[in-house]
Amino acid sequence: MKIRPLKIIKLGGSVITVKEIRWSIRREVLLRLLRELGTYREEFPENQVVLIHGGGSFGHPLVKDCVSRYGKITESCYISTADSMDTLNAIVRKYSINVARIPAISIPPRTICSISSGSPRCRLDPVVAALERGFTPILYGDVVTSDRGFEVLSGDTLAWYIARDLGALEILFVTDVDGLYERDPKLDPNAQKITEALVDEVINYVAASSSTVDVTGGMMKKLIEGKLLGVRGIKVKIVGGFIEGNLYSALKSDNFVGSIVWY
Ligand code: ATP
Ligand code: IP8
């Protein structure tokens, strides 16, 4: 197996959907981000990309409702959340193929991953097989089977897992904020932006703050996850997703609006 320089892109659910409004898509933002990726792919065909997207309003509210009603993800919640995530994924894939000319192939995480004692385990050979053929695999935050029944496997966790196991150079987290701040900038507009840091410098004081509909943890979880999975030697970019051209700039160089965190 020969994987060329690999970058993992996680399109945040809060960028491509309006998280508070169920089944709402930010179509123009999504199309622009995919076009930027398509342009990058055409200019740098030697580089590999795995595309991951979050659940946003197609995932989090459904799981939250279910857990508050039944205390767990029931069989019927598993089916309806899987269906909802597949709907969002089909839109991302169709735009990728038909608008951005990305040879996208979906790999539903629930078909390759499970969770045991809280730890994910994924069979990545379908991802590798797609990369080897020059395709762009698309994965997403999903519901998966676990030793406790059903659990959410977030797109952030998948990004870290794939980055670690396939030896990625970079993870780009495309978010609805323009970088990593000392505290949640939505709650504290005076919070200072951290443009570049080692993960150990920021992990202790970045505020753990997540919105009410987020069942997988916000910015803090994004950063801790890499530490928990023992990832080292990776550059992580927090990329402002609402700024035109910014994903393309972040893919091409370190000159973008956002933050860099070294692992
Ligand atoms: P999803 O899980 O749906 O894919 P996402 O990847 O788009 O979501 P979140 O998990 O919601 O993103 O994380 C981004 C959010 O984290 C921002 O909207 C911001 O409000 C919040 N946040 C909390 N702490 C910080 C911080 N210190 N710096 C920047 N953002 C922060
Ligand atoms: O948005 C969550 O994935 P994330 C997926 O990447 C579900 O955290 C089903 C809530």
Side-chain angles (χ1 to χ4, degrees):
M1 171 193 88
K2 181 80 189 92
I3 302 263
R4 298 189 300 263
L6 175 66
K7 300 187 183 191
I8 316 283
I9 302 172
K10 156 82 195 294
L11 297 181
S14 46
V15 181
I16 62 170
T17 76
V18 181
K19 233 163 162 175
E20 290 74 22
I21 305 173
R22 240 173 244 218
W23 298 300
S24 58
I25 294 200
R26 293 188 210 266
R27 185 172 174 277
E28 292 311 317
V29 174
L30 175 60
L31 283 170
R32 176 179 52 73
L33 291 168
L34 294 174
R35 282 199 188 99
E36 290 180 26
L37 170 58
T39 305
Y40 168 79
R41 275 196 85 266
E42 280 171 14
E43 285 179 15
F44 298 91
E46 70 281 9
N47 292 348
Q48 311 264 30
V49 172
V50 172
L51 181 61
I52 297 175
H53 64 79
S57 61
F58 286 70
H60 293 277
L62 280 78
V63 172
K64 192 164 181 272
D65 269 10
C66 190
V67 170
S68 62
R69 197 179 294 180
Y70 305 109
K72 61 175 185 178
I73 300 174
T74 59
E75 276 181 21
S76 101
C77 295
Y78 172 73
I79 297 294
S80 55
T81 309
D83 178 49
S84 183
M85 285 309 305
D86 285 351
T87 302
L88 175 60
N89 177 252
I91 294 166
V92 175
R93 186 185 62 247
K94 282 180 192 302
Y95 284 170
S96 298
I97 296 169
N98 300 325
V99 180
R101 300 186 307 276
I102 297 167
I105 212 79
S106 290
I107 302 176
R110 79 190 81 89
T111 65
I112 58 165
C113 301
S114 60
I115 295 180
S116 177
S117 307
S119 299
R121 185 178 291 254
C122 302
R123 210 169 38 81
L124 293 183
D125 42 306
V127 178
V128 172
L131 288 172
E132 283 177 340
R133 284 162 180 78
F135 301 151
T136 297
I138 308 191
L139 298 94
Y140 43 98
D142 201 2
V143 276
V144 302
T145 53
S146 91
D147 50 357
R148 295 177 208 148
F150 306 103
E151 289 181 51
V152 171
L153 176 61
S154 88
D156 293 350
T157 306
L158 265 174
W160 285 113
Y161 190 101
I162 294 172
R164 183 194 63 183
D165 281 20
L166 300 189
L169 292 177
E170 288 182 6
I171 304 178
L172 293 89
F173 287 111
V174 182
T175 71
D176 65 341
V177 287
D178 66 358
L180 175 67
Y181 286 74
E182 312 169 278
R183 294 175 294 284
D184 187 340
K186 286 187 188 151
L187 302 177
D188 180 356
N190 296 318
Q192 294 291 310
K193 186 148 113 179
I194 300 158
T195 47
E196 186 158 356
L198 300 172
V199 61
D200 289 333
E201 292 169 344
V202 290
I203 208 94
N204 290 328
Y205 69 90
V206 171
S209 28
S210 51
S211 75
T212 47
V213 289
D214 196 338
V215 294
T216 52
M219 188 63 76
M220 189 61 174
K221 178 90 184 309
K222 264 188 219 323
L223 296 183
I224 287 179
E225 197 90 65
K227 292 278 288 177
L228 294 177
L229 286 176
V231 176
R232 295 183 76 87
I234 287 188
K235 189 196 280 190
V236 170
K237 295 177 173 174
I238 312 291
V239 181
F242 294 145
I243 302 161
E244 192 163 345
N246 204 33
L247 173 59
Y248 174 74
S249 300
L251 279 164
K252 232 178 114 161
S253 72
D254 288 350
N255 191 11
F256 66 100
V257 181
S259 307
I260 295 179
V261 183
W262 292 91
Y263 282 72

